[in-house]
Amino acid sequence: MMPLLSDVTSCLSSYDPDALPVRDAQRIINDFLEPVRETETVALLSALGRVLAQDIISPISVPAHDNSAMDGFAFRGADLDPAAPTTLAVVGTVYAGRPSNAAPQAGQCVRIMTGGVMPAGCDTVIPQEHCAAISDDSVTIRPGTLATGDNRRFAGEDLMAGRPALEGGRVIGPADLGLLASLGIATIPVTRRLRVAFFSTGDELRSIGEPLDAGCVYDSNRYTLFGMLTRLGCEIIDMGIVRDEPQALEDALRSACASADAIVTSGGVSVGAADYTRQIMAELGDVTFWKIGMRPGRPLAFGRISSDGKSAFLFGLPGNPVAVMVSFYFFARAALLRMMGANAPVEMVKVKSAAAIRKKPGRTEYQRGIMSTDAGGNQTVRITGSQGSGILRSMTEANCMVVLHDEQGNVSAGDMVDIILFSGLM
Ligand code: AMP
Ligand code: MG
């Protein structure tokens, strides 16, 4: 049984849709959503960026045997004389990847290559460049050169057979591909791609290629949304620009519902006139309209649209080009990741503010920042010039968001502030 938004909001001790703190909105969204459960199996090379559907248990130990970390000579550490040079007889050679029967006894050693399996009884490797002398049949080690156990890698020190190698929910990255390959795993269970339909609303919008009529603007939100959704690994359904007409909006939302798990729209959710978006959204489903205590991006519609027995979660983002990105990053992103079954928290870091920042307590501000490292290696952040919610340039110039929390007031130069690097979001 699908919950209603009212079931979720009634759990909050105080709920005012017209003055909703960011964290309450994030919590309602999180509690209302349902993850997509279907999974599929993909080849390792197709798994990059996908969400691991279950824990991967290591079928083997890596490395499978104790082996040498260096090119050198393997021997028993107990043979080392702490006070005088130790000379060992060389009784064989061990190459990486080639089994050997070498079994040096006390006072003996074998030449060994990096990755070569340690012969039984040997626990220490002297790198060849650390030997005091090397001849065809012996090596000499000066006292104090190394200790028992040096330069030996243990079987299973990377991964132990039977232990979890990767946890379900992980977004698979390059290192994970390598790790899975090291286990000999060729196919990976992942959650199926999330299908996300998106469109822009507004009669003033023109598509690139069309003439820009008086008072019109080019639709940029569809391009930022395309970029953000693609980076998240969604399967995207670009529905273009939808006119501010009831029938056009209804058709668009119904058709999005038929094929998508989630719908992301921009524009038409504030209280301005000539917007049918809110009305149609409300008619087609369980949708609520919020004014969030944040800047930029106060208006947000959220809920579930239903049509012909199908339903899709709806994120009605504001129209302003910066607001749409900020609302996407701080509401839709985590929500879509949760729908994908992904566990990918965003890291906030504290950095010194290079200058004072004006900030009103009682709302969360997402200012566009440029973090840089000075000659002394210290990181500071400064705000990009104009912070208007329509100034997309502030996003392209920035490399991070400065997050000024609800309770926070003015920031003085030198104060620490929370930032989120775009590299962690995009
Ligand atoms: P709205 O939320 O529909 O009132 O739009 C707020 C502002 O954002 C208006 O100035 C719109 O022209 C602008 N806007 C809305 N949608 C887009 C879009 N897709 N691309 C660029 N600007 C937009
Ligand atoms: Mg509009």
Side-chain angles (χ1 to χ4, degrees), residues 201-205 244 266-270 273-275 277 319:
T201 69
D203 286 341
E204 77 282 23
L205 301 180
D244 255 329
S266 78
V269 292
S270 59
D275 279 332
T277 317

Side-chain angles (χ1 to χ4, degrees), residues 36 40 46-51 171 191-198 224-238 259-264 313 315 328-329 331-342 425-426:
V36 161
E40 59 192 15
S46 301
L48 185 65
R50 301 295 298 270
V51 179
V171 179
T191 56
R192 81 153 163 77
R193 271 187 206 282
L194 200 65
R195 285 189 286 272
V196 183
F198 63 109
T224 44
L225 284 172
F226 162 86
M228 295 186 292
L229 289 166
T230 303
R231 282 280 172 92
L232 272 192
C234 301
E235 193 176 305
I236 53 169
I237 305 165
D238 181 349
S259 53
D261 304 300
I263 307 169
V264 178
F313 291 99
F315 300 87
F328 183 92
Y329 282 135
F331 299 105
R333 182 183 180 277
L336 296 174
L337 284 169
R338 181 164 135 70
M339 288 182 73
M340 297 177 203
L425 283 173
M426 294 174 158

Side-chain angles (χ1 to χ4, degrees), residues 200-201 204-205 217-221 266-268 270 318-321:
S200 298
T201 69
E204 77 282 23
L205 301 180
V217 294
Y218 283 120
D219 172 13
S220 58
N221 291 348
S266 78
S270 59
N320 271 311

